[in-house]
Amino acid sequence: MINVGVLGATGAVGQRFVQLLADHPWFHIQALTASERSSGKLYGNVVQWRMDTPFSDHAGKTVVTPTTVESVKDCDIVFSALPPEIAGKVEAEMADAGIGVCSNARSHRMDPDVPLVIPEVNPDHLGLIDVQRDKGRDGFIVTNPNCSTIVLAMALAPLRRFEFHDVRVATMQAISGGGFQGVSAMDIYDNVVPYIGAEEEKMETETLKIMGTFDGSRIADASFRVSASCHRVPVIDGHTMAIWVDVKESVDEVKKAYASFKSPLSNLPLQPAKPVELLEQPDRPQPRLDRNRGRGMTVSVGRVREGLRFVAMGHNTIRGAAGASVLNAELIYTKKYL
Amino acid sequence: MINVGVLGATGAVGQRFVQLLADHPWFHIQALTASERSSGKLYGNVVQWRMDTPFSDHAGKTVVTPTTVESVKDCDIVFSALPPEIAGKVEAEMADAGIGVCSNARSHRMDPDVPLVIPEVNPDHLGLIDVQRDKGRDGFIVTNPNCSTIVLAMALAPLRRFEFHDVRVATMQAISGGGFQGVSAMDIYDNVVPYIGAEEEKMETETLKIMGTFDGSRIADASFRVSASCHRVPVIDGHTMAIWVDVKESVDEVKKAYASFKSPLSNLPLQPAKPVELLEQPDRPQPRLDRNRGRGMTVSVGRVREGLRFVAMGHNTIRGAAGASVLNAELIYTKKYL
Amino acid sequence: MINVGVLGATGAVGQRFVQLLADHPWFHIQALTASERSSGKLYGNVVQWRMDTPFSDHAGKTVVTPTTVESVKDCDIVFSALPPEIAGKVEAEMADAGIGVCSNARSHRMDPDVPLVIPEVNPDHLGLIDVQRDKGRDGFIVTNPNCSTIVLAMALAPLRRFEFHDVRVATMQAISGGGFQGVSAMDIYDNVVPYIGAEEEKMETETLKIMGTFDGSRIADASFRVSASCHRVPVIDGHTMAIWVDVKESVDEVKKAYASFKSPLSNLPLQPAKPVELLEQPDRPQPRLDRNRGRGMTVSVGRVREGLRFVAMGHNTIRGAAGASVLNAELIYTKKYL
Amino acid sequence: MINVGVLGATGAVGQRFVQLLADHPWFHIQALTASERSSGKLYGNVVQWRMDTPFSDHAGKTVVTPTTVESVKDCDIVFSALPPEIAGKVEAEMADAGIGVCSNARSHRMDPDVPLVIPEVNPDHLGLIDVQRDKGRDGFIVTNPNCSTIVLAMALAPLRRFEFHDVRVATMQAISGGGFQGVSAMDIYDNVVPYIGAEEEKMETETLKIMGTFDGSRIADASFRVSASCHRVPVIDGHTMAIWVDVKESVDEVKKAYASFKSPLSNLPLQPAKPVELLEQPDRPQPRLDRNRGRGMTVSVGRVREGLRFVAMGHNTIRGAAGASVLNAELIYTKKYL
């Protein structure tokens, strides 16, 4: 078993990590870190648990430690659910100290030497780990995309065989994307909020890095353009998005591309049978009905119609956050980077 | 006072008509029609009233009549909130019998001789009333657009001074658009439904007719293209939409166009001071906070940013349905078509 | 394996039956019945599936049959999710024809010879099966309570050791209790509806039968009084209720009664470790966080405080409907009634 | 015109005060206070306005001042929407300095010399103002009840002619009761939270003071007992509650008491025609449909049935907060206490 830690283990994404790691076949929770206030206490006594399955006995009895290099020195991998204002510095320190950091924070996503990875889309970008090591880092930082970016990038991946230049995306994002306390009920109930801070910029830049080309030393961004309009809607989990792509191919050819899309990988515990699933019913995907496909790791695509337009939807705190990081760690482990 | 009737007065849009006409300075409710089941009974006894202000005493004591020409023979104008499967035939019979029909139903919207009017956008299209009369009709049919189309068309109207060819719109539509019983709670709560039957087609065709050119005998459709993606979200009232338009002008020039947009009309009782209002706060418009601007008759526009992208929102059962029809009737009255 | 059928398999409760039976260790789906319209077609092609896990391959490929005795003649047990206007007659016919009917419908619940059973509360009432058979019925009808009654009865069961006479209960019930189409979004969103047809009567009568005494031939109702006030709230699944009971014991003694409550049974596949679970956090139970405890079969109790007052909550379509029927069938099977 | 101030004018209740005072016939906004951060700036520039009608030009152009005696020295009355941790001290200082304080804060509600008033229920309690003055205070403090208490007390007021001892109430309270940021969407969406801090205690004590007897020098609490169970539900505005009262009278007699209940007052601008309105439809009151009765100042009662049980509902931020304070001030003004 690989020893792992979760940084920021009491928040919304942190709890997802603890839930997903509960009975993981490869990874064993060795450290759970949180703010000073919780340090020294049992995780089960300090966490305000909000997942719909209970935390494991092991997690509940783990003593929470502060978010320091010392706390995770026995971990091979740490999963970071830290807020960006903290993540940048701590993650770098841990990576320099020899620890593998799989981060959901945005701090290092756009760093030239840091891979921004979706295993089914750009696993080769993990090669940047070697670049980090060549520069003297003992561990590494690998990041996963923002929760809305990952849905878009996975929905575009099967279309890479076609030529396109112009992507428009209007999102309808779930409230869990803002964390447990991030969105007040008075703000979002019976309402749509047409603004999520920095979200459009993330979708417009991260997508190009993910779908860019790695030549062994650096990533060349993809050359298409993404124009995003991001909105919060009253949905608990699951980001839905309307997407236009200027591919020239027919609806049938696009559907075939979706139907035949397969992961280049196999045998990762958290990987779903279908990373991208094409739904043919006229009114799908829907977040409440489809967000748990593939245990929350499948991105659903539907309503492919001329234009070329379609709708994509994925679980924002599983595929879009904690699950993405754990899947990255699984890939890293099989690729012998530990 | 002008005698008016409401066809289908007990449904969601019918109730809005009754509410808006309650103390109208020009129009007096003379007839309220509904299905046979309710005929002969007092409106106040049969209506399942769901508006948030009570119906007027006069409406409550009006005897409901069946939806026939005979029932409305003393009306100068009737407002139609009929379902499309009934509206087509009845509205034509009434118009032939000399009655002015202001219809919210879709049945005749795309008929070549029937104007599809938004007073602030294409009042000249009312000239088609003369075409109807030239063909022997004593009354007339005038229609207003579908509830999502009207928000889009009003948001585009201030941009007509610029050249554009390509409009993309992703809607987030309210549940009241489906009527009182149209959307089940199990379908939409904690959910997004990315499909509304025939809605995209309506937006893509009606918009071009509204923004088309009338040469005295017929409408030539506008030449741009609309590509719509329509979604239902858990909001009671207010359709929000993300819009892209390929104008070449800068964000500032576009904002100036919105800020300077004025109605060509004046003195219509239901007309708002600002038919289109530009909001500068970064997270507006929002349906719950902005849908009642201008007593529900103002379309709010915000987040104008390069792309060119912006967000528009309007009240779907006031500006998007009953209010639209009443405003059309006000325009018709001032233009001496009665 | 026992062959079972589901009557009314395409509705909300019917789908729950199909989901719960998907990999049941004892029961094998042999028949799925629905309306004539669906007969002869594959279940997977006609069902509008709304569960959040997919139906089994076996269920999907089962040919739907009409709801007749003939359709289920090879079943040992049928689970009835029929509407009450149909259930009464069909269930009796099937029971007379030798089939064991486990019904979620209300039609026969209050019949003197029909047991109304919660396995952890009144398993001995199954003895009424013998009464039915003595009267010449080859099969039997066993019913489970209404979805709100079952939560109340389970919450009261641990208090039976104390004396009480007066129970008041105010419910906050989920929209799924009305079926997929039963509650319109316009009725319940941003709203509370303080009325659910016949619900209060069901709680006030069924509870007394369940907690009554069986003397081998008939049930004598319990002698306390239940006064219910039932309300629908905007929650998908999970009925929450505020309960007052006039026990004289202290809060501590009541908590002990809850903590020590155990099922008299064991080894039923669907039975949860804790049929009634006492939560000590000050703000629990909550439907979204606690409805899936015990895979939806646990009733959660919290806020036990002087008065004596407490809050109970249970999953209305699992413990309150399909799961209740399946658990009854498991009990019946182990008791050798087949 | 009477000069008035609003303390804490930028919060949820503060905004309601500003909205209700916008075109008040007697009261003129002279001061708007808020935290230091906002002091010196125009109200229109610092407030995050969330009401569904715009603030008045006058309010928008008022310079915000700190919450000090100096800021409100030219006011005859101040309305307090302060949080309790601040209200206690500041309100007493202002009252000592000669200002009339109408407070929505809980700090002084249970002070023996401070009246806790609902104009239609216990207007005579204002006599405590004289007691305050006899003790040397130049101004006064008058409080209105907590938002759930006021609905209960008004629903009980028409029953005072009957004898009763035992009141049980289960509330379903709106999220606006927690302020704009008080309830996170992740906590309440698709959920019920069966706990609101200190709410049950407030209902159980405040109600007895309001319905107590004033002998010219002190209040003797009413002698019945209130047992409350308080729950938050996903509703924007409007507290609904199920109530049991042990009156011996019949349902018809109780209904007559409701139908004949009239305010002892008249001619107060904010007073509704019916302070308590009996609804006879079987499924009312409902918060979304009934909360705006009497411009939010009417408490609706329905489902009166044997038990004796009924349902009451009132708008929590109008009748339950800002409107209650303004109505108190109107009463105070007519009673010549200024």
Side-chain angles (χ1 to χ4, degrees):
Chain A
M1 295 289 282
I2 307 295
N3 278 331
V4 302
V6 178
L7 311 179
T10 56
V13 173
Q15 291 188 24
R16 277 283 182 209
F17 274 120
V18 173
Q19 183 188 45
L20 292 174
L21 294 167
D23 46 9
H24 196 281
W26 302 348
F27 300 146
H28 172 76
I29 292 178
Q30 201 272 339
L32 296 174
T33 85
S35 63
E36 287 296 332
R37 205 181 49 220
S38 303
S39 290
K41 299 172 187 160
L42 296 185
Y43 183 74
N45 291 346
V46 296
V47 69
Q48 295 255 25
W49 188 255
R50 308 288 179 94
M51 300 292 107
D52 64 356
T53 59
F55 49 75
S56 67
D57 278 353
H58 169 66
K61 291 175 181 163
T62 298
V63 176
V64 173
T65 48
T67 304
T68 60
V69 173
E70 174 66 20
S71 292
V72 298
K73 68 180 190 320
D74 296 330
C75 296
D76 300 295
I77 292 177
V78 295
F79 296 104
S80 170
L82 295 173
E85 59 275 19
I86 297 174
K89 184 156 171 290
V90 169
E91 291 176 6
E93 288 172 0
M94 291 179 179
D96 289 343
I99 294 161
V101 178
C102 290
S103 175
N104 185 59
R106 72 160 182 262
S107 309
H108 295 289
R109 279 186 199 142
M110 300 304 292
D111 290 1
D113 292 349
V114 171
L116 178 59
V117 173
I118 303 171
E120 296 95 333
V121 177
N122 61 338
D124 61 308
H125 289 203
L126 282 187
L128 279 174
I129 291 176
D130 294 322
V131 175
Q132 289 182 43
R133 288 182 168 163
D134 289 348
K135 295 190 176 173
R137 177 168 274 176
D138 285 335
F140 57 80
I141 299 176
V142 170
T143 60
N144 54 277
N146 172 53
C147 53
S148 53
T149 304
I150 203 166
V151 177
L152 175 64
M154 291 184 68
L156 291 177
L159 307 184
R160 274 198 290 195
R161 64 170 80 171
F162 308 133
E163 193 181 328
F164 60 88
H165 307 281
D166 180 30
V167 174
R168 318 277 176 100
V169 56
T171 69
M172 290 156 275
Q173 297 184 225
I175 56 179
S176 62
F180 288 143
Q181 300 298 326
V183 182
S184 94
M186 287 299 288
D187 277 347
I188 196 61
Y189 196 60
D190 184 20
N191 209 10
V192 169
V193 178
Y195 178 72
I196 302 173
E199 195 81 1
E200 296 171 356
E201 293 76 0
K202 289 180 206 166
M203 294 190 81
E204 294 172 1
T205 56
E206 293 179 8
T207 308
L208 304 186
K209 179 172 181 181
I210 296 161
M211 302 190 73
T213 313
F214 178 59
D215 67 1
S217 63
R218 57 179 292 282
I219 308 287
D221 278 2
S223 60
F224 57 87
R225 201 177 63 97
V226 176
S227 177
S229 193
C230 292
H231 316 81
R232 185 89 65 197
V233 295
V235 165
I236 293 282
D237 288 313
H239 287 354
T240 308
M241 45 196 78
I243 301 170
W244 283 261
V245 186
D246 63 336
V247 297
K248 296 290 167 285
E249 282 69 18
S250 71
V251 167
D252 275 355
E253 285 171 294
V254 168
K255 284 187 176 181
K256 271 181 209 152
Y258 278 118
S260 64
F261 181 73
K262 282 200 173 50
S263 172
L265 317 161
S266 64
N267 296 325
L268 303 186
L270 213 61
Q271 194 181 27
K274 297 184 183 180
V276 181
E277 182 166 3
L278 177 67
L279 305 180
E280 289 283 8
Q281 298 98 313
D283 60 353
R284 302 292 273 268
Q286 295 178 17
R288 205 181 74 238
L289 299 183
D290 297 310
R291 61 195 172 203
N292 290 326
R293 285 181 188 274
R295 289 172 301 153
M297 291 297 284
T298 291
V299 167
S300 299
V301 167
R303 297 208 72 220
V304 180
R305 56 210 197 283
E306 55 79 33
L308 183 96
R309 288 167 277 178
F310 56 92
V311 175
M313 196 280 307
H315 196 303
N316 55 300
T317 67
I318 300 179
R319 173 51 92 161
S325 273
V326 175
L327 191 63
N328 277 352
E330 292 173 357
L331 177 66
I332 288 164
Y333 174 66
T334 61
K335 295 289 183 187
K336 313 288 186 199
Y337 279 106
L338 295 186
Chain B
M1 295 287 281
I2 307 295
N3 278 329
V4 302
V6 177
L7 311 179
T10 55
V13 174
Q15 291 188 25
R16 275 285 182 209
F17 274 120
V18 172
Q19 184 188 44
L20 292 173
L21 294 168
D23 47 10
H24 196 281
W26 302 347
F27 299 146
H28 171 77
I29 292 179
Q30 201 274 337
L32 296 174
T33 85
S35 65
E36 289 295 331
R37 205 180 51 222
S38 303
S39 290
K41 297 172 187 158
L42 296 185
Y43 183 74
N45 290 346
V46 296
V47 69
Q48 295 255 25
W49 188 256
R50 307 288 178 94
M51 300 292 106
D52 64 356
T53 60
F55 48 76
S56 67
D57 278 354
H58 169 66
K61 290 176 181 163
T62 298
V63 176
V64 173
T65 49
T67 305
T68 61
V69 173
E70 176 65 19
S71 293
V72 298
K73 68 180 188 321
D74 296 330
C75 296
D76 299 297
I77 292 176
V78 295
F79 296 104
S80 171
L82 295 172
E85 58 274 19
I86 296 174
K89 187 158 168 290
V90 169
E91 291 176 5
E93 287 172 0
M94 290 179 180
D96 290 343
I99 294 160
V101 178
C102 289
S103 175
N104 185 57
R106 73 161 181 262
S107 308
H108 295 288
R109 279 184 199 144
M110 299 305 289
D111 290 1
D113 293 349
V114 171
L116 179 59
V117 173
I118 303 171
E120 297 95 336
V121 177
N122 61 337
D124 61 307
H125 288 204
L126 282 187
L128 279 175
I129 292 178
D130 296 321
V131 175
Q132 290 183 43
R133 288 183 169 163
D134 289 347
K135 294 190 177 175
R137 177 168 274 177
D138 285 335
F140 57 79
I141 298 176
V142 170
T143 60
N144 55 277
N146 173 54
C147 53
S148 54
T149 305
I150 203 166
V151 177
L152 175 63
M154 291 185 68
L156 291 178
L159 308 183
R160 273 197 293 194
R161 64 171 78 169
F162 308 134
E163 193 181 326
F164 60 87
H165 307 281
D166 180 30
V167 173
R168 317 277 177 99
V169 56
T171 69
M172 290 156 274
Q173 299 184 224
I175 55 178
S176 62
F180 288 143
Q181 300 299 326
V183 182
S184 95
M186 288 297 290
D187 277 346
I188 196 61
Y189 196 60
D190 184 18
N191 208 10
V192 169
V193 178
Y195 179 71
I196 302 174
E199 196 80 0
E200 295 171 356
E201 293 76 359
K202 288 181 208 167
M203 295 190 80
E204 294 173 359
T205 57
E206 293 179 9
T207 307
L208 304 186
K209 179 174 181 179
I210 296 161
M211 302 192 74
T213 314
F214 178 56
D215 66 2
S217 63
R218 56 178 292 283
I219 308 289
D221 277 3
S223 60
F224 57 86
R225 201 177 63 94
V226 176
S227 177
S229 194
C230 292
H231 316 81
R232 184 88 65 198
V233 296
V235 165
I236 294 281
D237 289 311
H239 287 355
T240 308
M241 44 196 77
I243 301 171
W244 283 262
V245 185
D246 63 336
V247 297
K248 297 290 167 284
E249 283 70 19
S250 72
V251 166
D252 275 354
E253 286 171 293
V254 168
K255 284 187 177 182
K256 272 179 209 155
Y258 278 118
S260 64
F261 181 71
K262 282 198 173 52
S263 172
L265 315 163
S266 64
N267 296 323
L268 302 186
L270 214 62
Q271 196 182 24
K274 296 184 183 178
V276 180
E277 182 166 2
L278 178 67
L279 306 179
E280 290 283 8
Q281 299 98 313
D283 60 354
R284 301 291 271 269
Q286 295 179 18
R288 205 181 75 237
L289 300 182
D290 297 310
R291 61 193 171 204
N292 290 325
R293 285 182 186 273
R295 289 171 302 155
M297 292 296 286
T298 291
V299 167
S300 300
V301 167
R303 300 209 71 221
V304 181
R305 57 210 196 283
E306 56 78 34
L308 182 97
R309 288 168 279 176
F310 57 92
V311 174
M313 195 279 307
H315 196 301
N316 55 300
T317 68
I318 300 179
R319 174 52 92 163
S325 273
V326 175
L327 191 63
N328 278 352
E330 292 173 356
L331 177 66
I332 288 164
Y333 174 67
T334 62
K335 295 289 184 187
K336 314 289 186 198
Y337 278 107
L338 294 186
Chain C
M1 294 288 280
I2 308 294
N3 278 330
V4 302
V6 178
L7 311 180
T10 56
V13 174
Q15 292 187 24
R16 275 285 182 210
F17 275 120
V18 172
Q19 184 188 44
L20 291 173
L21 294 167
D23 46 9
H24 195 281
W26 301 347
F27 300 147
H28 171 76
I29 291 178
Q30 200 274 336
L32 296 174
T33 84
S35 64
E36 288 295 332
R37 206 181 49 221
S38 303
S39 290
K41 298 172 187 158
L42 295 185
Y43 183 74
N45 290 346
V46 296
V47 69
Q48 294 256 24
W49 189 255
R50 307 287 180 93
M51 301 291 106
D52 64 357
T53 59
F55 49 77
S56 67
D57 277 354
H58 170 65
K61 290 177 181 163
T62 299
V63 176
V64 174
T65 48
T67 305
T68 61
V69 175
E70 175 66 19
S71 293
V72 298
K73 68 181 191 317
D74 296 331
C75 297
D76 300 295
I77 292 176
V78 294
F79 296 104
S80 170
L82 294 173
E85 59 275 19
I86 296 174
K89 185 156 170 290
V90 168
E91 291 176 6
E93 288 172 359
M94 291 178 179
D96 290 343
I99 294 161
V101 178
C102 288
S103 175
N104 186 59
R106 72 161 182 262
S107 308
H108 295 288
R109 278 183 199 144
M110 298 305 290
D111 290 0
D113 293 350
V114 172
L116 179 59
V117 174
I118 303 171
E120 296 94 335
V121 177
N122 62 338
D124 61 308
H125 288 204
L126 281 187
L128 280 175
I129 292 176
D130 296 321
V131 175
Q132 289 182 44
R133 288 181 169 164
D134 289 349
K135 294 191 176 175
R137 177 168 274 178
D138 285 334
F140 58 79
I141 299 176
V142 169
T143 60
N144 54 278
N146 172 54
C147 53
S148 53
T149 305
I150 203 165
V151 177
L152 175 63
M154 292 185 68
L156 292 177
L159 307 183
R160 274 197 291 196
R161 64 169 79 170
F162 308 134
E163 193 182 325
F164 60 87
H165 306 281
D166 180 31
V167 174
R168 316 276 178 101
V169 56
T171 69
M172 289 155 277
Q173 298 184 224
I175 56 179
S176 62
F180 289 142
Q181 299 298 325
V183 182
S184 94
M186 287 298 290
D187 277 347
I188 197 62
Y189 195 62
D190 184 20
N191 208 10
V192 170
V193 178
Y195 178 72
I196 302 173
E199 195 81 0
E200 296 171 357
E201 293 77 359
K202 289 180 207 166
M203 295 190 80
E204 294 173 1
T205 56
E206 293 180 8
T207 308
L208 304 186
K209 180 174 180 179
I210 296 161
M211 303 192 72
T213 315
F214 178 58
D215 66 2
S217 64
R218 57 178 290 283
I219 308 288
D221 277 2
S223 60
F224 58 87
R225 200 177 64 94
V226 176
S227 177
S229 194
C230 292
H231 316 80
R232 184 87 66 195
V233 295
V235 165
I236 293 282
D237 287 314
H239 287 354
T240 307
M241 45 196 77
I243 300 171
W244 284 263
V245 185
D246 64 335
V247 296
K248 297 290 165 285
E249 283 68 20
S250 71
V251 167
D252 274 354
E253 286 171 294
V254 168
K255 284 187 177 182
K256 272 180 207 151
Y258 278 118
S260 64
F261 181 72
K262 282 200 171 50
S263 171
L265 316 162
S266 64
N267 295 324
L268 302 187
L270 214 61
Q271 196 181 25
K274 297 184 183 179
V276 180
E277 181 165 3
L278 178 66
L279 306 180
E280 290 282 9
Q281 299 98 313
D283 60 353
R284 302 292 273 264
Q286 295 178 17
R288 205 181 74 237
L289 299 182
D290 296 311
R291 62 194 172 204
N292 290 326
R293 284 182 188 272
R295 288 171 302 153
M297 291 297 285
T298 291
V299 167
S300 299
V301 167
R303 299 209 69 220
V304 181
R305 57 210 197 283
E306 56 77 33
L308 183 98
R309 286 168 280 178
F310 57 92
V311 174
M313 195 280 306
H315 196 300
N316 56 300
T317 67
I318 300 179
R319 173 51 93 161
S325 273
V326 174
L327 191 64
N328 278 352
E330 292 173 356
L331 177 66
I332 288 163
Y333 174 67
T334 62
K335 296 290 183 189
K336 314 287 186 198
Y337 278 106
L338 293 186
Chain D
M1 296 288 281
I2 307 295
N3 278 331
V4 302
V6 177
L7 312 179
T10 55
V13 174
Q15 291 189 23
R16 276 283 183 210
F17 274 120
V18 172
Q19 183 188 43
L20 291 173
L21 293 168
D23 47 9
H24 196 281
W26 302 347
F27 300 147
H28 171 76
I29 292 178
Q30 201 274 338
L32 296 174
T33 84
S35 63
E36 288 295 332
R37 206 182 47 219
S38 303
S39 291
K41 298 174 187 157
L42 296 185
Y43 183 74
N45 290 346
V46 297
V47 68
Q48 294 256 24
W49 189 254
R50 307 288 179 96
M51 302 291 106
D52 63 357
T53 59
F55 48 75
S56 66
D57 278 353
H58 170 65
K61 290 175 180 163
T62 298
V63 176
V64 173
T65 49
T67 304
T68 61
V69 174
E70 173 66 18
S71 293
V72 298
K73 67 179 189 322
D74 296 329
C75 296
D76 300 295
I77 292 177
V78 295
F79 297 104
S80 169
L82 295 172
E85 59 275 17
I86 297 174
K89 185 156 169 291
V90 168
E91 291 176 4
E93 288 172 359
M94 291 180 181
D96 290 343
I99 293 161
V101 178
C102 289
S103 174
N104 185 59
R106 72 159 182 264
S107 308
H108 294 288
R109 278 185 200 143
M110 299 305 289
D111 289 1
D113 293 348
V114 171
L116 179 59
V117 174
I118 304 170
E120 297 95 335
V121 176
N122 62 336
D124 61 308
H125 288 204
L126 281 188
L128 280 175
I129 291 177
D130 295 322
V131 175
Q132 290 183 44
R133 289 184 168 162
D134 290 348
K135 295 190 175 171
R137 177 168 275 177
D138 286 334
F140 58 80
I141 299 177
V142 170
T143 59
N144 53 278
N146 172 52
C147 54
S148 54
T149 305
I150 202 165
V151 176
L152 175 64
M154 291 185 69
L156 291 177
L159 307 183
R160 275 198 289 194
R161 64 171 77 171
F162 308 134
E163 193 181 325
F164 60 87
H165 307 281
D166 180 30
V167 174
R168 317 276 177 99
V169 56
T171 69
M172 290 156 274
Q173 299 183 223
I175 55 179
S176 62
F180 288 143
Q181 299 299 326
V183 182
S184 93
M186 287 300 289
D187 278 347
I188 197 60
Y189 195 61
D190 184 19
N191 208 10
V192 170
V193 178
Y195 179 72
I196 301 174
E199 194 81 2
E200 295 172 357
E201 293 76 1
K202 290 181 207 166
M203 294 190 80
E204 294 173 0
T205 56
E206 294 180 8
T207 308
L208 304 185
K209 180 173 181 180
I210 296 162
M211 302 191 73
T213 314
F214 178 58
D215 66 1
S217 62
R218 57 178 291 281
I219 307 287
D221 277 3
S223 61
F224 59 86
R225 200 177 64 94
V226 176
S227 177
S229 194
C230 292
H231 316 81
R232 185 87 66 197
V233 296
V235 165
I236 294 280
D237 288 312
H239 287 354
T240 306
M241 43 195 78
I243 301 171
W244 284 262
V245 186
D246 64 336
V247 296
K248 296 289 167 286
E249 283 69 20
S250 71
V251 166
D252 274 355
E253 286 171 294
V254 168
K255 283 188 177 182
K256 271 180 208 153
Y258 279 118
S260 64
F261 181 72
K262 283 201 170 46
S263 172
L265 317 162
S266 64
N267 296 326
L268 302 186
L270 213 63
Q271 196 182 26
K274 297 184 182 179
V276 180
E277 181 166 4
L278 177 67
L279 305 180
E280 289 284 8
Q281 298 97 313
D283 60 353
R284 303 289 275 266
Q286 294 178 19
R288 206 183 72 238
L289 299 183
D290 297 311
R291 61 194 172 204
N292 290 325
R293 285 182 187 272
R295 289 172 300 154
M297 291 296 285
T298 291
V299 167
S300 299
V301 167
R303 298 208 72 217
V304 181
R305 56 211 197 283
E306 56 79 34
L308 185 95
R309 287 167 277 178
F310 57 92
V311 174
M313 194 280 307
H315 196 300
N316 55 300
T317 67
I318 299 180
R319 174 52 93 161
S325 273
V326 175
L327 191 64
N328 277 352
E330 292 173 357
L331 177 66
I332 289 163
Y333 174 66
T334 62
K335 295 289 184 191
K336 314 286 185 200
Y337 279 106
L338 293 188

